[in-house]
Amino acid sequence: MADERACPSAPCPCAPGNGLRAALRRDSPGHGAAGAGRVGLRPLLLSGFRCLRGAATPAGPPLPPAGPAGAPRPGAVPGSAAALREASQPVLGCCTGRRQGTGRCEADGGLAVSLTPLLSAMALSCALRLPPRLLRPSSALLSSLPGGDRSLPMEKKTAAKWKEKKKAREGSSLPGSSWEERLANAVTPLWRLPYQEQLQVKYESQRKVLQALASHLEELGIEAQKPGGVCCPLQPVVPSPVINGYRNKSTFSVNRGPDGNPKTVGLYVGTGREGNIVCVKANRMENIPPKHKQVAQCYEEFIRRSPLEPCILFHEGGHWRELVVRTTSRGHTMAIVTFHPQELGQEALATQKALLKEFFTCGPGTVCALTSLYFQESTMTRCSHEQSPFQLLHGEPHIFEEVLGLKFRISPDAFFQVNTGGAEVLYRAVGELSQVDGDTVLLDICCGTGTIGLSLAHQVSKIIGVEVVEKAIEDARWNAAFNGISNCEFRTGKAEAVLPQLLSSWEDARPLVAVVNPSRAGLHHRVVRAIRNCAAIRRLLYISCKPEGEAMRNFLELCCPPDPGKKLAGEPFAPTLAIPFDMFPHTVHCELVLLFTR
C-alpha cells in the first residue's frame, strides 16, 4: 500500500524498459466518515454481486471534441471500435498516488499515466479484455528468481508495437465536452459507471493479477493454479462505505489553465513530453470533497492577487507551487503551500508568509476555516520535513481523525489512508484474517502513523511497528499514548535496515504474524528475505495498492523454491486467500489483501 515509501518517487511502471510498463498507474483516492461502514467483514464478503458477462457501454452519443485537437476520421461510425481508436488519446492526470518522502499511493503530485478519455465509457470492456501479456514480468524479473533465465523473446517486439500504437494515439483527437470532463475521464475513468459495474471492473482486474501470479508460480515449478486459473480463492470486491468525496487528502498543482492563465490551481491533463499540459480545476472530480475544492479555489485567488509568478519549471523561476489539503471527519482542515524561494531573502520570504496567513485568516480565505496552515520552502519536486521543515503559519500543528474508536494525530507529511471509512473496513478485515490472539506478536511493516497495529493492539500481546518517516513514528507514539495503549513499540528507519537486524536475532517463542503495507514500489528484497528466513512468521498479510506492479516480484520471492544463492533459505509461503477492497471509487484501483501462509 499506501501513499505509495520513498520519495524520490519510484520509477513509473509505464516507462519504456520496465517489464510491467503497460500496467495502469494509480490515480488514488479517498475520504470517508470515520463512523461509516461499521459492519462486520462477513456480511460484506457474503453480499457479493452479480458477475456481468461481456462489455458494458453507457448509452448516449460520443462527446464532441473539447479542444483544437483533430476529430475522428470521416466515415467512422460513432461508438464503433474504429471510431474509439481514432478518437482516443493518452491523458495524464495529477498522480493521486505518491506520498511525500515515500512514494506511497494516496494522492500526491506528479504526472501519472491514466486511461484514455473514453475508458469511462468502455471501462468494463477494457478491463475484461486486458491482454495477459500486460501482466507478464520482465526478463530481468524472472531471471533474478531461482530457476535461471526465463527470458521473454517477444518482449522487445511487444514493446515496439506498444510504442507504435501509443504514438498513433497521441496524434488523434481528445474527445470530451469540457476540460473538466477530460480531467475526470483521466483521473477517475470509471466515474460514469454505476457503482456495481465499477466493482465488477476491479474484480476482473484482480482476477487477472491472481491468474498471472499462478502462471508465474507454475513456471517456477510450483503447482498453484486453482479453479479459474487463479492462485488462490478470490473474494468479491468489498465496497467502499463512501463513494463520492471520500478523499481526505488532495494535491493540487499550479500551471497554465485552459485559458492560458499560468496561475490556475487544479490537476493536469496532457503530458510534459508533448508540451501540452493544461491545469484544470477539479470541480467535476467525484472523489474530491467540496472542502478541498474550496481551499484550492481560494489559493488560486490568492496567487492571482500576488505579484510573484508561479513556479512551473524550476529553471524558469517563479515561486508559487502546489497545494496539499487534508481533512478529517472531525471537521479539521489542513492546508500546506509549497513555495520555491529562488533568490528571495529572508525578509521577502517573511512578507510572503505574512500575506498568505492574512489572506486565510483575515481575508477571503477565512471561508475555508483552516485548522492548520503550513508553508514549505522547497527547491525539489518532493521533500520531507527533515529536508525542508514545514512551517506552521496559523492554527494547530496537527489535525485529528478517529478510526475504530481510536484517535489519531496527523502531521503534514504523515501517511494516512485516503479513504477513512474504507480504512475502517480494511482494518477490521486484517484483524480477522491475521487470526491473532492474546499471545501473538504483530509485526506492522511500513506502519505509517500506526493505524493498523493500534487498531489490533487490544487483540495481541505486542505490536512492533517499522516506518521510515520520523514524523509518522512520532505520531504513532503519540497515538499509542493518547489512546492508553502500552503494548506497542515503534522503530524509525528503512524497513530493509531495521527488519533484518530485528528478525535475525528473533528468539521470542510467541506466535509472530506480519502485516506489510508498502508503497507501489513494493518491499525491498532485503525485507522479503528477512521475512522469508524468519521461521517464526507463519502468516503474512500483504496489502498492496498495485499488485500487478513491483509487488508481483515480492509475491514470487515469498513463494519460490529455496535458493541459497539469493539467500532465500526459508520455507516458501503459499497464497491462501485474496480480498480486494475498493478504497478508491471511480478509479481503476483498489487495495488487495493477499494472505500468505506456510
Side-chain angles (χ1 to χ4, degrees):
M1 147 181 104
D3 218 40
E4 242 82 158
R5 286 208 173 229
C7 191
S9 45
C12 173
C14 299
N18 288 351
L20 298 173
R21 57 191 169 277
L24 299 174
R25 184 160 178 193
R26 172 175 196 162
D27 299 325
S28 353
H31 172 52
R38 301 197 178 209
V39 293
L41 174 64
R42 187 173 302 277
L44 284 171
L45 297 181
L46 293 179
S47 62
F49 49 83
R50 182 171 59 87
C51 290
L52 301 178
R53 300 290 184 183
T57 306
L63 297 172
R73 63 175 174 79
V77 178
S80 67
L84 293 176
R85 285 195 300 270
E86 295 277 345
S88 62
Q89 173 181 349
V91 178
L92 281 80
C94 178
C95 171
T96 55
R98 213 163 258 192
R99 174 164 73 113
Q100 289 188 3
T102 65
R104 214 190 243 288
C105 290
E106 41 172 56
D108 295 359
L111 292 181
V113 176
S114 185
L115 303 182
T116 64
L118 288 171
L119 186 54
S120 57
M122 300 295 292
L124 184 57
S125 176
C126 291
L128 294 176
R129 299 171 187 173
L130 185 64
R133 61 181 172 79
L134 297 186
L135 292 174
R136 298 185 69 185
S138 64
S139 302
L141 189 159
L142 289 178
S143 61
S144 68
L145 293 170
D149 180 28
R150 292 179 173 82
S151 60
L152 304 178
M154 296 297 292
E155 184 175 332
K156 291 185 179 179
K157 189 175 180 181
T158 301
K161 285 185 178 179
W162 180 81
K163 289 180 183 178
E164 204 171 65
K165 291 180 180 179
K166 182 175 182 291
K167 187 175 181 180
R169 288 197 303 267
E170 287 176 346
S172 304
S173 64
L174 181 63
S177 61
S178 69
W179 281 101
E180 290 177 352
E181 199 161 62
R182 292 191 194 188
L183 177 64
N185 291 340
V187 181
T188 53
L190 306 185
W191 69 285
R192 297 178 188 273
L193 293 182
Y195 188 53
Q196 287 300 314
E197 292 185 27
Q198 294 187 29
L199 295 178
Q200 176 63 17
V201 169
K202 299 184 182 192
Y203 179 85
E204 293 298 332
S205 174
Q206 299 306 305
R207 184 173 62 85
K208 287 187 176 294
V209 170
L210 297 184
Q211 288 175 335
L213 177 55
S215 177
H216 301 328
L217 291 176
E218 292 282 344
E219 293 177 12
L220 295 174
I222 301 171
E223 295 184 8
Q225 290 201 7
K226 302 294 188 297
V230 295
C231 62
C232 64
L234 174 63
Q235 296 281 0
V237 180
V238 179
S240 171
V242 180
I243 299 174
N244 294 324
Y246 56 84
R247 294 195 63 84
N248 57 36
K249 179 181 179 183
S250 300
T251 299
F252 301 93
S253 299
V254 177
N255 211 312
R256 293 177 180 84
D259 61 354
N261 192 323
K263 292 183 175 181
T264 300
V265 178
L267 309 180
Y268 286 163
V269 172
T271 71
R273 182 174 58 184
E274 297 298 319
N276 62 350
I277 285 179
V278 177
C279 192
V280 182
K281 295 182 180 181
N283 297 338
R284 290 291 296 272
M285 299 298 296
E286 299 283 355
N287 60 342
I288 297 179
K291 172 62 75 172
H292 294 201
K293 299 172 185 177
Q294 180 187 51
V295 178
Q297 182 62 41
C298 286
Y299 180 55
E300 180 179 278
E301 181 180 347
F302 170 77
I303 65 174
R304 289 187 176 187
R305 293 185 179 192
S306 171
L308 299 185
E309 294 300 315
C311 179
I312 297 176
L313 296 174
F314 288 2
H315 67 277
E316 292 183 356
H319 301 277
W320 298 113
R321 293 181 53 201
E322 70 182 23
L323 166 75
V324 175
V325 183
R326 307 189 73 154
T327 51
T328 71
S329 60
R330 296 167 61 89
H332 299 168
T333 303
M334 176 186 289
I336 307 158
V337 171
T338 307
F339 183 91
H340 197 305
Q342 302 292 357
E343 304 299 325
L344 292 184
Q346 289 303 311
E347 185 176 346
L349 284 170
T351 299
Q352 296 307 315
K353 287 186 279 188
L355 290 172
L356 181 65
K357 176 181 177 180
E358 181 182 6
F359 180 87
F360 278 102
T361 58
C362 305
T366 54
V367 297
C368 300
L370 296 182
T371 307
S372 310
L373 174 61
Y374 274 97
F375 183 89
Q376 186 184 40
E377 301 167 27
S378 174
T379 58
M380 299 179 285
T381 303
R382 288 284 180 277
C383 59
S384 64
H385 174 79
E386 290 72 30
Q387 294 168 315
S388 180
F390 292 96
Q391 304 171 44
L392 181 64
L393 302 186
H394 164 74
E396 302 298 324
H398 306 93
I399 56 177
F400 297 88
E401 184 58 282
E402 289 186 4
V403 175
L404 298 177
L406 300 177
K407 185 175 181 180
F408 291 91
R409 186 179 83 172
I410 303 173
S411 296
D413 62 343
F415 171 74
F416 200 89
Q417 281 282 1
V418 293
N419 183 337
T420 308
E424 289 196 310
V425 178
L426 174 65
Y427 298 161
R428 283 196 189 93
V430 169
E432 293 188 26
L433 292 171
S434 62
Q435 294 186 1
V436 295
D437 57 32
D439 196 37
T440 303
V441 176
L442 182 69
L443 187 58
D444 188 1
I445 303 168
C446 310
C447 67
T449 57
T451 47
I452 293 179
L454 293 174
S455 66
L456 300 178
H458 66 287
Q459 301 179 38
V460 302
S461 174
K462 183 178 181 180
I463 300 288
I464 301 177
V466 179
E467 169 62 45
V468 65
V469 179
E470 291 184 15
K471 282 292 181 181
I473 287 295
E474 288 181 18
D475 288 343
R477 290 169 178 160
W478 185 94
N479 293 335
F482 181 86
N483 290 286
I485 299 173
S486 58
N487 62 337
C488 293
E489 173 187 330
F490 294 102
R491 303 192 181 193
T492 306
K494 293 182 178 180
E496 59 266 31
V498 175
L499 209 61
Q501 182 179 1
L502 173 67
L503 295 182
S504 63
S505 58
W506 188 266
E507 296 179 352
D508 197 316
R510 290 174 294 182
L512 181 61
V513 173
V515 176
V516 299
N517 191 9
S519 68
R520 287 188 305 252
L523 295 171
H524 192 281
H525 69 91
R526 292 178 185 169
V527 177
V528 177
R529 183 195 305 165
I531 294 172
R532 172 76 183 259
N533 295 341
C534 180
I537 300 177
R538 312 301 297 175
R539 200 170 188 87
L540 167 68
L541 283 169
Y542 195 120
I543 305 172
S544 176
C545 59
K546 192 174 178 62
E548 73 276 19
E550 288 302 311
M552 184 69 74
R553 178 192 293 273
N554 294 160
F555 301 159
L556 295 176
E557 290 173 339
L558 287 167
C559 300
C560 68
D563 182 1
K566 302 291 183 181
K567 298 183 180 179
L568 296 172
E571 179 186 351
F573 283 90
T576 304
L577 180 66
I579 308 178
F581 290 80
D582 186 19
M583 303 289 286
F584 320 110
H586 308 303
T587 77
V588 296
H589 306 289
C590 60
E591 294 275 351
L592 180 66
V593 177
L594 195 52
L595 172 63
F596 292 92
T597 59
R598 61 179 176 179

